[in-house]
Amino acid sequence: MLYSPDPIAAIATAPGRGGVGVIRVSGRRIDAIVHGLIGRPLTPRHAHFARFRAADTGAIDEGLALYFPGPNSFTGEDVLEIQGHGGPVVMNMLLKRCIELGARHAEPGEFSKRAFLNGKLDLAQAEAVADLIDAQSEAAARSALKSLDGAFSLEVRALVDELIQLRMLVEATLDFPEEEIDFLQAADAQGRLLALQTQLAKVLIAASQGRLLREGMHVVLIGQPNVGKSSLMNALAGEEVAIVTDIAGTTRDTVRELIQLQGVPLHVIDTAGLRETDDAVERIGIERTWGAIGKADLALLLVDSRAGVTREDLEILARLPRALPVLRVFNKVDLTGEVPGDVGRDVIHVSAKTGEGLDALRQRLLQQVGWQGEQDGVFIARERHLDAIRRASRHLDAALAAYHRTELFAEELRLGQNALNEITGEFTSDDLLGVIFSRFCIGK
Ligand code: GDP
Ligand code: ZN
């Protein structure tokens, strides 16, 4: 994979105003930029106070400059970081100056992509950089850091190593067709393959947990007006809405997006907007809602305990995908005197007002998506990773089935290894890299 390490520059801090703003420059030769901006060479890895020079004799700003010569830098190239005053105008002037001096605007994720191409990070780690920045809960941030530190990559590498050992064994027997089966038997190839499958299944569970932390669970909320949908969402959010309390949005229920259950983000898909309409824009919104419903983990039917399930509710239920599990939540039990809690058969009694039954509801929701609680072994993961693990597992199954046809056996092992290697990026197409890194924001 070839790329030219031409200097790139970007504002690395979030847009807007802040005490400090950071510009990052990376490239094979950035001396001209350092010289034009600072006017003197910088001692590697030291903080220098400097005035950042304009094209004329004046200055744009003053602040700290740090220089990391490659390969000991984030990207593996020479990197300059300047910390100026964090206003959009100042930052843009500084960036413009870097461009004048020979850098070009970095593409989204280009710093991380270079770090990957220079072997500073593997693909799962580079993705963890983005996931740490995008983390929606503390638990998600902790597990993203684990992936960034390489916990996930190590697990995958261990599996790949074992797979390579096994492949070497099998390839060796291909040269001795007469004795090959005895050979494999003596080396317990089958036992080792089964052990690998077990290990793979474990990694899949850990990765699914990580994917939950990253992507959250998606719940379709059904309920007539006034049954207590908003009240329930607010009660579920409780103290866990720690990040933002006042969110601008078109609907007043946007706050639901920030609900977390044990660090797992809860995304609520509101069915209130699913009514017949002639309005083209509204229809697009409705199509999108149906799209989201197609990927949901669970439907939550909220009813007023005094009225029970209504005909309107049943009509919406009938239009949901058959496979979507439905949990019926009877709210306002404080008014009926019914016993709160999980009463079985996918029915839960709660009171959004008093909070009774809510713990049972939380537990039921987490159980539905298979959350096992934050554990040491949980690292952040993406659907892409799960897909690769599942494919690897299918190849190992096929290998097991082809045990007596050694060439097929060897081929399935090879395909399994390729699938696993996609996770760390050792076997990844340029297209996939493009897709992954283009979703990063600029300056990452
Ligand atoms: P939504 O239209 O479904 O979002 O319903 P709201 O959350 O706005 O609630 C409608 C009304 O029911 C409000 O007056 C709430 O205070 C009340 N309410 C919601 N949950 C409960 C509950 O568990 N018990 C009681 N007694 N009232 C509730
Ligand atoms: Zn509401």
Side-chain angles (χ1 to χ4, degrees):
M1 230 167 309
L2 283 178
Y3 77 99
S4 92
D6 53 329
I8 51 172
I11 301 169
T13 36
R17 296 157 58 211
V20 177
V22 174
I23 304 255
R24 206 186 229 175
V25 181
S26 178
R28 190 61 50 85
R29 298 216 71 89
I30 59 170
D31 327 17
I33 299 171
V34 174
H35 188 264
L37 210 54
I38 320 281
R40 63 190 148 97
L42 298 171
T43 312
R45 296 177 298 281
H46 276 65
H48 295 266
F49 182 76
R51 285 174 79 72
F52 308 133
R53 299 169 157 202
D56 55 25
T57 49
I60 298 169
D61 192 9
E62 56 184 27
L64 292 183
L66 293 126
Y67 177 60
F68 305 91
N72 300 315
S73 68
F74 173 67
T75 58
E77 305 166 348
D78 296 342
V79 170
L80 172 70
E81 272 188 29
I82 57 174
Q83 305 181 1
H85 292 94
V89 173
V90 186
M91 282 292 117
N92 277 311
M93 286 165 77
L94 285 170
L95 179 59
K96 215 167 91 189
R97 183 79 184 110
C98 294
I99 306 297
E100 272 171 17
L101 290 165
R104 67 166 169 79
H105 290 279
E107 287 159 22
E110 199 170 5
F111 292 94
S112 304
K113 187 176 183 179
R114 287 185 172 196
F116 167 68
L117 292 176
N118 286 320
K120 303 297 286 189
L121 295 171
D122 68 33
L123 200 51
Q125 289 175 305
E127 290 171 313
V129 174
D131 293 340
L132 180 57
I133 293 170
D134 295 335
Q136 298 180 64
S137 69
E138 291 183 11
R142 280 191 289 270
S143 61
L145 187 62
K146 273 180 211 150
S147 290
L148 179 54
D149 285 343
F152 187 22
S153 307
L154 276 177
E155 299 258 11
V156 172
R157 291 234 163 83
L159 288 168
V160 169
D161 282 349
E162 175 60 19
L163 208 43
I164 290 173
Q165 298 292 320
L166 204 53
R167 280 187 63 198
M168 279 165 32
L169 195 71
V170 179
E171 306 276 347
T173 65
L174 284 175
D175 299 334
F176 304 95
E178 259 75 88
E179 296 118 278
E180 63 189 18
I181 298 300
D182 302 339
F183 224 86
L184 291 175
Q185 221 116 45
D188 191 24
Q190 199 161 15
R192 288 171 68 172
L193 189 52
L194 286 171
L196 246 172
Q197 279 287 43
T198 310
Q199 201 49 38
L200 202 55
K202 270 194 205 149
V203 174
L204 182 62
I205 288 173
S208 325
Q209 300 287 296
R211 191 196 67 102
L212 264 180
L213 280 179
R214 179 176 185 266
E215 279 150 35
M217 64 172 112
H218 295 82
V219 171
V220 181
L221 186 66
I222 303 158
Q224 299 307 304
N226 284 321
V227 295
K229 295 185 294 297
S230 300
S231 307
L232 180 71
M233 289 307 131
N234 289 334
L236 278 180
E239 291 159 12
E240 292 201 70
V241 182
I243 313 167
V244 191
T245 47
D246 185 19
I247 305 104
T250 45
T251 73
R252 66 183 174 114
D253 294 328
T254 313
V255 66
R256 293 163 179 180
E257 286 299 316
L258 289 163
I259 299 175
Q260 296 163 20
L261 304 176
Q262 295 181 16
V264 179
L266 174 68
H267 304 286
V268 178
I269 304 155
D270 200 337
T271 54
L274 289 180
R275 44 182 75 95
E276 302 290 319
T277 177
D278 293 328
D279 185 273
V281 177
E282 209 175 321
R283 215 179 291 145
I284 293 171
I286 290 172
E287 261 166 44
R288 220 174 271 148
T289 305
W290 278 111
I293 289 173
K295 289 180 223 146
D297 301 295
L298 173 76
L300 209 63
L301 172 64
L302 190 66
V303 304
D304 187 322
S305 288
R306 295 170 299 180
V309 179
T310 66
R311 204 160 51 86
E312 287 88 346
D313 294 330
L314 292 176
E315 277 167 17
I316 296 189
L317 280 181
R319 293 164 65 194
L320 296 179
R322 273 184 192 288
L324 188 65
V326 179
L327 192 60
R328 289 158 203 255
V329 180
F330 286 73
N331 188 31
K332 309 194 187 184
V333 292
D334 58 298
L335 298 177
T336 62
E338 283 165 287
V339 183
D342 196 331
V343 298
R345 285 172 293 116
D346 295 326
V347 175
I348 296 194
H349 288 175
V350 304
S351 166
K353 188 175 174 184
T354 65
E356 292 169 288
L358 291 187
D359 275 340
L361 176 58
R362 285 191 188 95
Q363 249 163 36
R364 193 63 183 68
L365 289 171
L366 289 166
Q367 182 197 335
Q368 183 64 42
V369 292
W371 177 243
Q372 302 177 340
E374 194 184 353
Q375 289 152 356
D376 276 351
V378 174
F379 37 75
I380 210 110
R382 302 178 168 206
E383 189 54 40
R384 177 183 89 77
H385 304 145
L386 296 192
D387 176 60
I389 296 172
R390 287 191 203 106
R391 269 186 291 124
S393 182
R394 279 200 292 274
H395 286 301
L396 297 198
D397 282 341
L400 214 48
Y403 189 61
H404 295 291
R405 282 168 292 166
T406 313
E407 288 194 20
L408 209 57
F409 184 57
E411 176 63 5
E412 292 295 346
L413 292 183
R414 187 183 69 82
L415 293 172
Q417 185 187 340
N418 285 353
L420 285 180
N421 276 341
E422 284 176 24
I423 295 173
T424 49
E426 264 130 272
F427 187 84
T428 307
S429 71
D430 283 0
D431 292 351
L432 180 61
L433 289 184
V435 170
I436 289 171
F437 286 106
S438 65
R439 296 203 181 133
F440 280 49
C441 45
I442 293 187
K444 234 187 256 169

